[in-house]
Structure formats: structure tokens, C-alpha cells
Amino acid sequence: VAPSTPVCEVPSSAMTGTVVQMSCKETEGSPPSEYQWYKNGVALLEKTGTGSARAANITYTMNKKSGTLLFNTVTKNDTGEYFCEASNGIGLSQKCSVKRMQV
């Protein structure tokens, strides 16, 4: 079954230095969907190892299975427009509407 349009939860604003968790979920896809987050239209990299992530200055953890995007400490650089995409290899992938987070 192709995924349905996911529901994204993105805070509209956050204080610098706080923990922010965004979530993305859809319920109809079978097999279960994997989720990819985008910021300002660019796919966010999945954090695989600490070395490469630190080099790229990645301050978040993205879980493609659960759809969560977790910022341990947000900075002004994390301000932007976020959306996520659900895909399971069947039918078209589905995106939620873009939501802006202001830090």
C-alpha cells in the first residue's frame, strides 16, 4: 500500500540552545514508510558516524524509521522551512506541507 500524506509536527519557534524534536508519521503505508526530512528544500543527511557528522557540523539526529528529527541544541542556523517525505517503495512518496521554524 502506498503511503498516505504524513502529518508533520514542527514547532513554529524555539529558543536557542533548547532541545527540539520534530515528528513525521503516516499510517497507511505497507510496508511501513521510511521518512526523509528536508530543510529549505534540501534533504538532511542521516547522521551515521560522529566523525563525518561533526565535520559537516550536524547538530541533529534523524531517524528514518520513526520519522523523528531531534536537535540537541538548536541554533539560529537551524531556522528554516522544514518538511518530511514518507516513502516505502510503493506508489508515489508523500510530503507534508512545509512548516517554518524560527529560532
Side-chain angles (χ1 to χ4, degrees):
V1 181
S4 57
T5 303
V7 175
C8 294
E9 289 183 18
V10 175
S12 56
S13 63
M15 293 288 291
T16 306
T18 58
V19 175
V20 172
Q21 180 168 315
M22 302 182 186
S23 65
C24 178
K25 195 80 187 142
E26 68 82 29
T27 51
E28 292 177 21
S30 181
S33 291
E34 288 208 341
Y35 302 97
Q36 171 67 52
W37 279 94
Y38 293 81
K39 176 187 172 188
N40 300 332
V42 179
L44 291 175
L45 298 166
E46 188 167 21
K47 189 171 176 177
T48 48
T50 48
S52 58
R54 197 173 293 135
N57 221 0
I58 291 175
T59 58
Y60 59 82
T61 309
M62 179 170 58
N63 186 323
K64 293 194 169 188
K65 300 276 187 218
S66 68
T68 56
L69 181 62
L70 178 69
F71 293 88
N72 288 324
T73 51
V74 291
T75 66
K76 287 198 179 342
N77 294 337
D78 295 317
T79 294
E81 297 187 335
Y82 291 85
F83 69 89
C84 103
E85 180 179 66
S87 59
N88 65 356
I90 298 169
L92 295 171
S93 59
Q94 298 286 338
K95 298 179 178 71
C96 66
S97 57
V98 174
K99 296 186 178 171
R100 182 172 178 79
M101 179 175 74
Q102 180 74 43
V103 179

Coordinates of all heavy atoms in Angstrom, one line a residue:
V1 N 0.9 -1.2 0.0 CA 0.0 0.0 0.0 C 0.9 1.2 0.0 O 1.8 1.3 0.8 CB -0.9 0.0 1.3 CG1 -1.8 1.3 1.2 CG2 -1.7 -1.2 1.3
A2 N 0.6 2.2 -0.9 CA 1.4 3.4 -0.9 C 1.1 4.2 0.3 O 0.1 4.2 0.9 CB 1.0 4.2 -2.2
P3 N 2.1 5.0 0.7 CA 2.0 5.9 1.9 C 0.9 6.9 1.7 O 0.7 7.4 0.6 CB 3.3 6.5 2.1 CG 4.1 6.3 0.9 CD 3.5 5.2 0.1
S4 N 0.3 7.3 2.9 CA -0.6 8.5 2.8 C 0.2 9.7 3.1 O 1.4 9.6 3.5 CB -1.7 8.3 3.9 OG -1.2 8.1 5.2
T5 N -0.5 10.9 3.0 CA 0.3 12.1 3.3 C 0.6 12.1 4.8 O -0.2 12.0 5.6 CB -0.6 13.3 3.0 OG1 -1.0 13.2 1.6 CG2 0.1 14.6 3.2
P6 N 1.9 12.3 5.1 CA 2.3 12.3 6.5 C 1.9 13.5 7.3 O 1.7 14.6 6.7 CB 3.8 12.2 6.5 CG 4.2 12.8 5.1 CD 3.1 12.5 4.2
V7 N 1.7 13.4 8.6 CA 1.5 14.5 9.4 C 2.8 15.0 10.1 O 3.5 14.1 10.7 CB 0.5 14.1 10.5 CG1 0.3 15.3 11.5 CG2 -0.9 13.7 9.9
C8 N 3.2 16.2 9.9 CA 4.4 16.7 10.4 C 4.1 17.6 11.6 O 3.2 18.4 11.5 CB 5.2 17.6 9.4 SG 5.7 16.6 8.0
E9 N 5.0 17.5 12.6 CA 4.9 18.4 13.7 C 6.2 19.1 13.8 O 7.2 18.5 14.1 CB 4.6 17.6 15.0 CG 3.2 17.1 15.1 CD 2.8 16.4 16.4 OE1 3.6 16.6 17.4 OE2 1.9 15.6 16.4
V10 N 6.1 20.4 13.5 CA 7.3 21.3 13.5 C 7.0 22.5 14.4 O 6.0 23.2 14.1 CB 7.7 21.7 12.1 CG1 8.8 22.7 12.1 CG2 8.0 20.6 11.2
P11 N 7.7 22.8 15.4 CA 7.4 24.0 16.3 C 7.7 25.2 15.4 O 8.6 25.3 14.6 CB 8.4 23.9 17.4 CG 9.5 23.0 16.9 CD 8.9 22.1 15.9
S12 N 6.8 26.2 15.6 CA 6.9 27.4 14.8 C 8.1 28.3 15.3 O 8.7 29.1 14.6 CB 5.6 28.3 14.9 OG 5.3 28.5 16.2
S13 N 8.4 28.1 16.6 CA 9.5 28.9 17.2 C 10.2 28.1 18.3 O 9.6 27.2 18.9 CB 9.1 30.2 17.7 OG 8.2 30.0 18.8
A14 N 11.5 28.3 18.5 CA 12.3 27.6 19.5 C 13.3 28.6 20.0 O 13.8 29.4 19.3 CB 12.9 26.4 18.9
M15 N 13.7 28.4 21.3 CA 14.7 29.2 21.9 C 16.1 28.6 21.6 O 16.2 27.4 21.6 CB 14.5 29.3 23.4 CG 13.3 30.0 23.9 SD 13.4 31.8 23.7 CE 14.7 32.2 24.9
T16 N 17.1 29.4 21.3 CA 18.4 29.0 21.0 C 18.9 28.1 22.2 O 18.7 28.5 23.4 CB 19.4 30.1 20.9 OG1 18.8 31.0 19.8 CG2 20.8 29.7 20.5
G17 N 19.5 27.0 21.9 CA 20.1 26.1 23.0 C 19.1 25.1 23.5 O 19.5 24.3 24.4
T18 N 17.9 25.1 23.1 CA 16.9 24.2 23.6 C 16.9 22.9 22.8 O 17.4 22.9 21.7 CB 15.5 24.7 23.7 OG1 15.1 25.2 22.4 CG2 15.4 25.9 24.7
V19 N 16.2 21.9 23.3 CA 16.1 20.6 22.6 C 14.8 20.7 21.8 O 13.7 21.1 22.3 CB 16.0 19.4 23.6 CG1 15.7 18.1 22.8 CG2 17.3 19.3 24.3
V20 N 14.8 20.4 20.5 CA 13.6 20.4 19.7 C 13.5 19.1 19.0 O 14.4 18.6 18.4 CB 13.7 21.5 18.6 CG1 12.6 21.4 17.6 CG2 13.8 22.9 19.3
Q21 N 12.3 18.5 19.1 CA 12.0 17.3 18.3 C 10.9 17.5 17.3 O 9.8 18.0 17.7 CB 11.7 16.1 19.3 CG 11.4 14.8 18.5 CD 11.3 13.6 19.4 OE1 12.2 13.4 20.3 NE2 10.4 12.8 19.1
M22 N 11.1 17.2 16.1 CA 10.1 17.2 15.1 C 9.7 15.8 14.8 O 10.5 14.9 14.9 CB 10.6 17.9 13.8 CG 11.2 19.2 14.0 SD 11.7 20.0 12.5 CE 12.5 21.5 13.1
S23 N 8.4 15.6 14.4 CA 7.9 14.3 14.1 C 7.2 14.2 12.8 O 6.6 15.2 12.4 CB 7.1 13.7 15.3 OG 5.9 14.5 15.4
C24 N 7.2 13.1 12.2 CA 6.5 12.8 10.9 C 6.0 11.4 11.0 O 6.7 10.5 11.3 CB 7.6 13.0 9.8 SG 7.0 12.7 8.2
K25 N 4.7 11.3 10.6 CA 4.1 10.0 10.7 C 3.0 9.8 9.7 O 2.2 10.8 9.4 CB 3.5 9.8 12.1 CG 3.1 8.4 12.5 CD 4.3 7.6 12.9 CE 4.0 6.2 13.1 NZ 5.1 5.3 12.7
E26 N 3.0 8.7 9.0 CA 1.8 8.3 8.2 C 1.4 6.9 8.6 O 2.2 6.1 9.0 CB 2.1 8.6 6.7 CG 3.1 7.6 6.1 CD 2.5 6.3 5.7 OE1 1.3 6.2 5.4 OE2 3.2 5.3 5.7
T27 N 0.1 6.6 8.4 CA -0.4 5.3 9.0 C -0.8 4.3 7.9 O -1.0 3.1 8.3 CB -1.6 5.6 9.8 OG1 -2.5 6.4 9.1 CG2 -1.2 6.4 11.1
E28 N -0.9 4.6 6.6 CA -1.4 3.7 5.7 C -0.4 2.8 4.9 O -0.8 1.8 4.4 CB -2.3 4.4 4.7 CG -3.6 5.0 5.4 CD -4.4 5.8 4.4 OE1 -4.3 5.6 3.2 OE2 -5.2 6.6 4.9
G29 N 0.8 3.3 4.9 CA 1.8 2.6 4.1 C 2.1 1.2 4.6 O 2.2 1.0 5.8
S30 N 2.2 0.3 3.6 CA 2.6 -1.1 4.0 C 3.4 -1.6 2.8 O 2.9 -1.7 1.7 CB 1.3 -2.0 4.2 OG 1.7 -3.3 4.5
P31 N 4.7 -2.0 3.0 CA 5.4 -2.0 4.3 C 5.5 -0.6 4.9 O 5.3 0.4 4.2 CB 6.8 -2.5 3.9 CG 6.9 -2.2 2.4 CD 5.5 -2.3 1.9
P32 N 5.9 -0.5 6.2 CA 6.0 0.8 6.8 C 6.9 1.8 6.1 O 7.9 1.4 5.6 CB 6.5 0.5 8.2 CG 6.1 -0.9 8.5 CD 6.2 -1.6 7.1
S33 N 6.5 3.0 6.1 CA 7.3 4.0 5.3 C 8.6 4.4 6.1 O 8.7 4.2 7.3 CB 6.5 5.3 5.2 OG 5.5 5.1 4.3
E34 N 9.6 4.8 5.3 CA 10.8 5.5 5.8 C 10.6 7.0 5.6 O 9.9 7.4 4.6 CB 12.0 5.0 5.1 CG 12.4 3.6 5.5 CD 13.9 3.3 5.4 OE1 14.6 4.1 4.7 OE2 14.3 2.3 6.0
Y35 N 11.1 7.8 6.5 CA 10.9 9.2 6.4 C 12.2 10.0 6.2 O 13.2 9.7 6.7 CB 10.3 9.7 7.8 CG 9.0 9.0 8.1 CD1 9.0 7.9 8.9 CD2 7.8 9.4 7.5 CE1 7.8 7.2 9.2 CE2 6.6 8.7 7.8 CZ 6.6 7.6 8.7 OH 5.5 7.0 8.9
Q36 N 12.1 11.0 5.3 CA 13.2 11.8 5.0 C 12.9 13.2 5.3 O 11.8 13.7 4.8 CB 13.6 11.7 3.5 CG 14.7 12.6 3.0 CD 16.0 12.4 3.7 OE1 16.6 11.3 3.7 NE2 16.6 13.5 4.2
W37 N 13.7 13.9 6.1 CA 13.4 15.3 6.4 C 14.1 16.2 5.4 O 15.3 15.9 5.0 CB 13.8 15.6 7.8 CG 12.8 15.2 8.8 CD1 12.7 14.1 9.5 CD2 11.6 16.0 9.2 NE1 11.6 14.1 10.3 CE2 11.0 15.2 10.2 CE3 11.1 17.3 8.9 CZ2 9.8 15.7 10.8 CZ3 10.0 17.7 9.5 CH2 9.3 16.9 10.5
Y38 N 13.6 17.4 5.1 CA 14.2 18.4 4.3 C 14.1 19.7 5.0 O 13.2 20.0 5.7 CB 13.4 18.5 3.0 CG 13.4 17.3 2.1 CD1 12.6 16.2 2.3 CD2 14.3 17.3 1.0 CE1 12.7 15.1 1.5 CE2 14.4 16.2 0.1 CZ 13.5 15.1 0.4 OH 13.6 14.0 -0.4
K39 N 15.2 20.5 4.8 CA 15.3 21.9 5.3 C 15.5 22.8 4.1 O 16.5 22.6 3.4 CB 16.4 22.0 6.3 CG 16.6 23.4 6.8 CD 17.8 23.6 7.7 CE 18.1 25.0 8.0 NZ 19.3 25.2 8.7
N40 N 14.6 23.7 3.9 CA 14.7 24.7 2.8 C 14.9 23.9 1.5 O 15.6 24.3 0.6 CB 15.9 25.7 3.0 CG 15.7 26.5 4.3 OD1 14.6 26.7 4.7 ND2 16.8 26.9 4.9
G41 N 14.1 22.8 1.4 CA 14.1 22.1 0.1 C 15.3 21.1 -0.1 O 15.4 20.5 -1.1
V42 N 16.2 21.1 0.9 CA 17.4 20.2 0.7 C 17.3 19.0 1.7 O 17.0 19.2 2.9 CB 18.7 21.0 1.0 CG1 19.9 20.1 0.9 CG2 18.8 22.2 0.1
A43 N 17.5 17.8 1.2 CA 17.5 16.6 2.0 C 18.5 16.7 3.2 O 19.7 17.0 2.9 CB 17.7 15.4 1.2
L44 N 18.1 16.4 4.4 CA 19.0 16.4 5.5 C 19.7 15.1 5.5 O 19.1 14.0 5.2 CB 18.3 16.6 6.8 CG 17.7 18.0 7.1 CD1 16.8 18.0 8.3 CD2 18.7 19.0 7.1
L45 N 21.0 15.1 5.8 CA 21.8 13.9 5.9 C 21.5 13.1 7.1 O 21.3 13.7 8.2 CB 23.3 14.2 5.9 CG 23.8 15.0 4.6 CD1 25.2 15.6 4.9 CD2 23.9 14.0 3.5
E46 N 21.5 11.8 7.0 CA 21.3 10.9 8.1 C 22.6 10.9 8.9 O 23.7 10.6 8.2 CB 20.8 9.5 7.8 CG 20.4 8.7 9.0 CD 19.6 7.5 8.6 OE1 19.7 7.0 7.4 OE2 18.9 6.9 9.4
K47 N 22.6 11.1 10.1 CA 23.8 11.0 10.9 C 24.2 9.6 11.1 O 23.6 8.8 11.8 CB 23.6 11.7 12.3 CG 24.8 12.0 13.1 CD 24.4 12.8 14.3 CE 25.6 13.0 15.3 NZ 25.2 13.9 16.4
T48 N 25.4 9.2 10.5 CA 25.8 7.8 10.6 C 26.9 7.6 11.6 O 26.7 6.9 12.6 CB 26.3 7.3 9.2 OG1 27.2 8.3 8.7 CG2 25.1 7.2 8.3
G49 N 28.0 8.4 11.5 CA 29.0 8.3 12.5 C 29.4 9.7 13.0 O 29.1 10.7 12.4
T50 N 29.9 9.7 14.2 CA 30.2 11.0 14.8 C 31.2 11.8 14.0 O 31.1 13.0 13.9 CB 30.7 10.9 16.3 OG1 31.7 9.9 16.3 CG2 29.6 10.4 17.2
G51 N 32.2 11.1 13.4 CA 33.3 11.8 12.7 C 32.7 12.6 11.5 O 32.9 13.8 11.5
S52 N 32.0 12.0 10.6 CA 31.5 12.6 9.4 C 30.5 13.7 9.8 O 30.4 14.8 9.2 CB 30.9 11.6 8.5 OG 29.9 10.9 9.1
A53 N 29.7 13.4 10.8 CA 28.6 14.3 11.2 C 29.3 15.6 11.8 O 28.8 16.7 11.5 CB 27.7 13.7 12.3
R54 N 30.3 15.4 12.6 CA 30.9 16.6 13.2 C 31.6 17.4 12.2 O 31.5 18.7 12.2 CB 31.9 16.1 14.3 CG 32.3 17.3 15.2 CD 33.2 16.8 16.4 NE 32.5 15.9 17.3 CZ 33.0 14.7 17.7 NH1 34.2 14.3 17.4 NH2 32.3 14.0 18.5
A55 N 32.2 16.8 11.2 CA 32.8 17.5 10.1 C 31.8 18.4 9.3 O 32.1 19.5 8.9 CB 33.5 16.6 9.1
A56 N 30.6 17.8 9.2 CA 29.6 18.6 8.4 C 28.8 19.5 9.4 O 27.8 20.1 8.9 CB 28.6 17.6 7.8
N57 N 29.2 19.6 10.6 CA 28.5 20.5 11.6 C 27.1 20.1 11.8 O 26.2 21.0 11.8 CB 28.7 21.9 11.1 CG 29.0 22.8 12.3 OD1 29.1 22.3 13.5 ND2 29.1 24.1 12.1
I58 N 26.8 18.8 11.9 CA 25.4 18.3 12.0 C 25.0 18.4 13.5 O 25.7 17.8 14.3 CB 25.2 16.9 11.4 CG1 25.4 17.0 9.9 CG2 23.9 16.3 11.8 CD1 25.3 15.7 9.2
T59 N 23.9 19.0 13.8 CA 23.5 19.2 15.2 C 22.3 18.4 15.5 O 21.6 18.7 16.5 CB 23.3 20.7 15.5 OG1 22.3 21.1 14.6 CG2 24.5 21.5 15.3
Y60 N 21.9 17.5 14.6 CA 20.6 16.8 14.8 C 20.8 15.3 14.6 O 21.8 14.8 14.1 CB 19.6 17.3 13.8 CG 20.0 17.1 12.4 CD1 19.9 15.9 11.7 CD2 20.7 18.1 11.7 CE1 20.4 15.7 10.4 CE2 21.1 17.9 10.4 CZ 21.0 16.7 9.8 OH 21.4 16.5 8.5
T61 N 19.8 14.6 15.0 CA 19.7 13.1 14.8 C 18.4 12.9 14.0 O 17.4 13.2 14.5 CB 19.7 12.3 16.1 OG1 20.8 12.8 16.9 CG2 19.9 10.9 15.8
M62 N 18.5 12.2 12.9 CA 17.3 11.9 12.1 C 17.1 10.4 12.1 O 18.0 9.6 11.8 CB 17.5 12.4 10.7 CG 16.3 12.1 9.8 SD 16.3 12.9 8.2 CE 17.9 12.3 7.5
N63 N 15.9 10.0 12.5 CA 15.6 8.6 12.5 C 14.6 8.3 11.4 O 13.4 8.7 11.4 CB 15.0 8.2 13.8 CG 14.7 6.7 14.0 OD1 14.4 6.0 13.0 ND2 15.0 6.1 15.1
K64 N 15.1 7.6 10.3 CA 14.3 7.4 9.1 C 13.1 6.4 9.4 O 12.1 6.5 8.7 CB 15.1 6.9 8.0 CG 16.1 7.9 7.5 CD 16.7 7.6 6.1 CE 17.4 8.8 5.6 NZ 17.9 8.5 4.2
K65 N 13.3 5.6 10.4 CA 12.2 4.6 10.7 C 11.1 5.2 11.5 O 9.9 5.0 11.2 CB 12.8 3.4 11.4 CG 13.9 2.6 10.7 CD 13.3 1.6 9.8 CE 14.4 0.7 9.2 NZ 14.1 0.4 7.8
S66 N 11.4 6.0 12.5 CA 10.4 6.6 13.3 C 9.9 8.0 12.8 O 8.8 8.4 13.2 CB 10.9 6.7 14.8 OG 11.9 7.7 14.8
G67 N 10.7 8.6 11.9 CA 10.3 9.9 11.4 C 10.6 11.1 12.3 O 10.2 12.2 12.1
T68 N 11.4 10.8 13.3 CA 11.8 11.9 14.2 C 13.0 12.6 13.8 O 13.9 12.0 13.2 CB 12.0 11.5 15.7 OG1 13.0 10.4 15.7 CG2 10.7 10.9 16.3
L69 N 13.1 13.9 14.0 CA 14.2 14.8 13.8 C 14.5 15.5 15.1 O 13.6 16.3 15.5 CB 14.0 15.7 12.6 CG 15.1 16.7 12.3 CD1 16.3 15.9 11.8 CD2 14.7 17.6 11.2
L70 N 15.6 15.2 15.7 CA 15.9 15.7 17.1 C 17.1 16.6 17.0 O 18.2 16.2 16.6 CB 16.2 14.5 18.0 CG 16.5 14.9 19.4 CD1 15.3 15.4 20.2 CD2 17.0 13.6 20.2
F71 N 16.9 17.8 17.5 CA 18.0 18.8 17.7 C 18.4 18.8 19.2 O 17.5 19.2 20.0 CB 17.6 20.2 17.2 CG 17.4 20.3 15.7 CD1 16.1 20.0 15.2 CD2 18.4 20.6 14.9 CE1 15.8 20.1 13.9 CE2 18.1 20.7 13.5 CZ 16.9 20.5 13.0
N72 N 19.6 18.5 19.5 CA 20.0 18.5 20.9 C 20.1 19.9 21.4 O 19.7 20.2 22.5 CB 21.4 17.8 21.1 CG 21.2 16.3 20.9 OD1 20.2 15.7 21.3 ND2 22.2 15.7 20.3
T73 N 20.7 20.8 20.6 CA 20.7 22.2 21.0 C 20.5 23.0 19.6 O 21.4 23.0 18.8 CB 22.0 22.7 21.6 OG1 23.1 22.2 20.8 CG2 22.1 22.1 23.0
V74 N 19.3 23.7 19.5 CA 19.1 24.4 18.2 C 19.9 25.7 18.3 O 20.1 26.3 19.3 CB 17.6 24.7 18.0 CG1 16.9 23.4 17.7 CG2 17.0 25.5 19.1
T75 N 20.3 26.1 17.1 CA 21.0 27.4 16.9 C 20.2 28.2 15.9 O 19.3 27.7 15.2 CB 22.4 27.2 16.4 OG1 22.4 26.7 15.1 CG2 23.2 26.3 17.3
K76 N 20.6 29.5 15.8 CA 19.9 30.3 14.8 C 20.1 29.7 13.4 O 19.2 30.0 12.5 CB 20.5 31.7 14.8 CG 20.1 32.5 16.0 CD 20.3 34.0 15.8 CE 19.9 34.9 17.0 NZ 19.0 34.4 17.9
N77 N 21.1 29.0 13.1 CA 21.3 28.3 11.8 C 20.3 27.3 11.5 O 20.1 26.9 10.3 CB 22.7 27.6 11.8 CG 23.8 28.6 11.9 OD1 23.7 29.8 11.5 ND2 25.0 28.2 12.3
D78 N 19.5 26.8 12.5 CA 18.5 25.8 12.3 C 17.2 26.5 11.9 O 16.2 25.7 11.6 CB 18.3 25.0 13.5 CG 19.6 24.1 13.9 OD1 20.2 23.6 12.9 OD2 19.9 24.1 15.0
T79 N 17.1 27.8 11.9 CA 15.9 28.5 11.4 C 15.7 28.1 9.9 O 16.7 28.0 9.2 CB 16.0 30.0 11.5 OG1 16.1 30.3 12.9 CG2 14.9 30.7 10.9
G80 N 14.5 27.8 9.6 CA 14.2 27.5 8.2 C 12.9 26.8 7.9 O 12.1 26.7 8.9
E81 N 12.7 26.4 6.7 CA 11.4 25.7 6.4 C 11.7 24.2 6.3 O 12.5 23.8 5.5 CB 10.9 26.3 5.1 CG 10.6 27.8 5.2 CD 9.9 28.4 4.0 OE1 10.1 27.8 2.9 OE2 9.2 29.4 4.2
Y82 N 10.9 23.5 7.0 CA 11.1 22.0 7.1 C 9.8 21.3 6.6 O 8.7 21.7 6.8 CB 11.3 21.6 8.6 CG 12.6 22.1 9.2 CD1 12.7 23.3 9.7 CD2 13.7 21.2 9.2 CE1 13.9 23.8 10.3 CE2 14.9 21.6 9.7 CZ 15.0 22.9 10.3 OH 16.2 23.3 10.8
F83 N 10.1 20.1 6.0 CA 9.0 19.2 5.7 C 9.6 17.8 5.6 O 10.8 17.7 5.5 CB 8.3 19.6 4.4 CG 9.1 19.4 3.1 CD1 9.1 18.1 2.4 CD2 9.8 20.4 2.6 CE1 9.8 18.0 1.3 CE2 10.6 20.2 1.4 CZ 10.6 19.0 0.8
C84 N 8.7 16.8 5.6 CA 9.2 15.5 5.5 C 8.5 14.7 4.5 O 7.4 15.1 4.0 CB 9.2 14.8 6.9 SG 7.9 13.6 7.1
E85 N 9.1 13.7 4.0 CA 8.6 12.8 2.9 C 8.5 11.4 3.4 O 9.5 10.9 4.0 CB 9.5 13.0 1.7 CG 9.2 12.2 0.5 CD 10.2 12.5 -0.6 OE1 11.4 12.1 -0.4 OE2 9.8 13.1 -1.6
A86 N 7.4 10.7 3.2 CA 7.3 9.3 3.5 C 7.3 8.5 2.2 O 6.7 8.8 1.2 CB 5.9 9.1 4.2
S87 N 8.1 7.4 2.2 CA 8.2 6.6 1.1 C 8.4 5.1 1.5 O 9.1 4.9 2.5 CB 9.3 7.0 0.1 OG 10.5 7.0 0.8
N88 N 7.8 4.2 0.8 CA 8.0 2.8 1.1 C 8.2 1.9 -0.1 O 8.2 0.7 -0.1 CB 6.8 2.2 1.9 CG 5.5 2.2 1.1 OD1 5.5 2.7 0.0 ND2 4.5 1.6 1.7
G89 N 8.6 2.6 -1.2 CA 8.9 1.9 -2.5 C 7.6 1.5 -3.3 O 7.8 0.9 -4.3
I90 N 6.5 1.8 -2.8 CA 5.2 1.5 -3.5 C 4.5 2.8 -3.8 O 4.3 3.6 -2.8 CB 4.3 0.6 -2.6 CG1 5.0 -0.7 -2.4 CG2 3.0 0.4 -3.3 CD1 4.4 -1.6 -1.4
G91 N 4.1 3.0 -5.0 CA 3.4 4.3 -5.3 C 4.3 5.5 -5.2 O 5.5 5.4 -5.0
L92 N 3.7 6.6 -5.2 CA 4.5 7.9 -5.0 C 4.8 8.2 -3.6 O 4.0 7.9 -2.7 CB 3.7 9.1 -5.6 CG 3.4 9.0 -7.1 CD1 2.4 10.1 -7.5 CD2 4.7 9.1 -7.9
S93 N 5.9 8.8 -3.3 CA 6.2 9.2 -2.0 C 5.3 10.4 -1.7 O 4.9 11.1 -2.6 CB 7.7 9.6 -1.8 OG 8.0 10.6 -2.7
Q94 N 5.0 10.7 -0.4 CA 4.1 11.7 0.0 C 4.8 12.7 0.9 O 5.6 12.3 1.8 CB 2.9 11.1 0.8 CG 2.1 10.2 -0.1 CD 1.2 10.9 -1.1 OE1 0.9 12.1 -1.0 NE2 0.8 10.2 -2.1
K95 N 4.6 14.0 0.7 CA 5.2 15.0 1.5 C 4.1 15.7 2.4 O 3.0 15.9 1.9 CB 5.9 16.1 0.6 CG 7.0 15.5 -0.3 CD 7.5 16.7 -1.1 CE 8.7 16.2 -2.0 NZ 8.2 15.4 -3.1
C96 N 4.5 16.2 3.5 CA 3.7 17.1 4.3 C 3.9 18.5 3.9 O 4.9 18.8 3.2 CB 3.9 16.9 5.8 SG 5.5 17.4 6.4
S97 N 3.0 19.4 4.3 CA 3.2 20.8 4.0 C 4.4 21.4 4.7 O 4.8 20.9 5.8 CB 1.9 21.6 4.3 OG 1.6 21.4 5.7
V98 N 5.0 22.4 4.1 CA 6.2 23.0 4.6 C 5.9 23.8 5.8 O 4.9 24.6 5.8 CB 6.9 23.9 3.6 CG1 8.1 24.7 4.1 CG2 7.3 23.0 2.4
K99 N 6.6 23.7 6.9 CA 6.4 24.5 8.1 C 7.7 25.2 8.5 O 8.8 24.6 8.5 CB 5.9 23.6 9.3 CG 4.6 23.0 9.0 CD 4.0 22.2 10.1 CE 2.6 21.7 9.8 NZ 2.1 20.8 10.8
R100 N 7.6 26.5 8.9 CA 8.8 27.2 9.2 C 9.0 27.2 10.7 O 8.1 27.4 11.5 CB 8.6 28.7 8.7 CG 9.8 29.6 9.0 CD 9.7 30.9 8.4 NE 10.9 31.7 8.8 CZ 12.1 31.6 8.2 NH1 12.3 30.7 7.2 NH2 13.1 32.4 8.6
M101 N 10.3 27.0 11.1 CA 10.7 27.1 12.4 C 11.6 28.3 12.6 O 12.6 28.4 11.9 CB 11.4 25.8 12.9 CG 11.9 26.0 14.4 SD 12.6 24.5 15.1 CE 14.2 24.4 14.2
Q102 N 11.3 29.2 13.5 CA 12.1 30.4 13.8 C 12.9 30.1 15.1 O 12.2 29.9 16.1 CB 11.3 31.6 13.9 CG 12.0 32.9 14.2 CD 12.8 33.4 13.0 OE1 12.3 33.4 11.8 NE2 14.0 33.8 13.2
V103 N 14.2 30.2 15.1 CA 15.0 30.0 16.3 C 15.4 31.4 16.8 O 16.0 32.2 16.0 CB 16.2 29.1 16.1 CG1 17.0 29.0 17.4 CG2 15.8 27.8 15.6

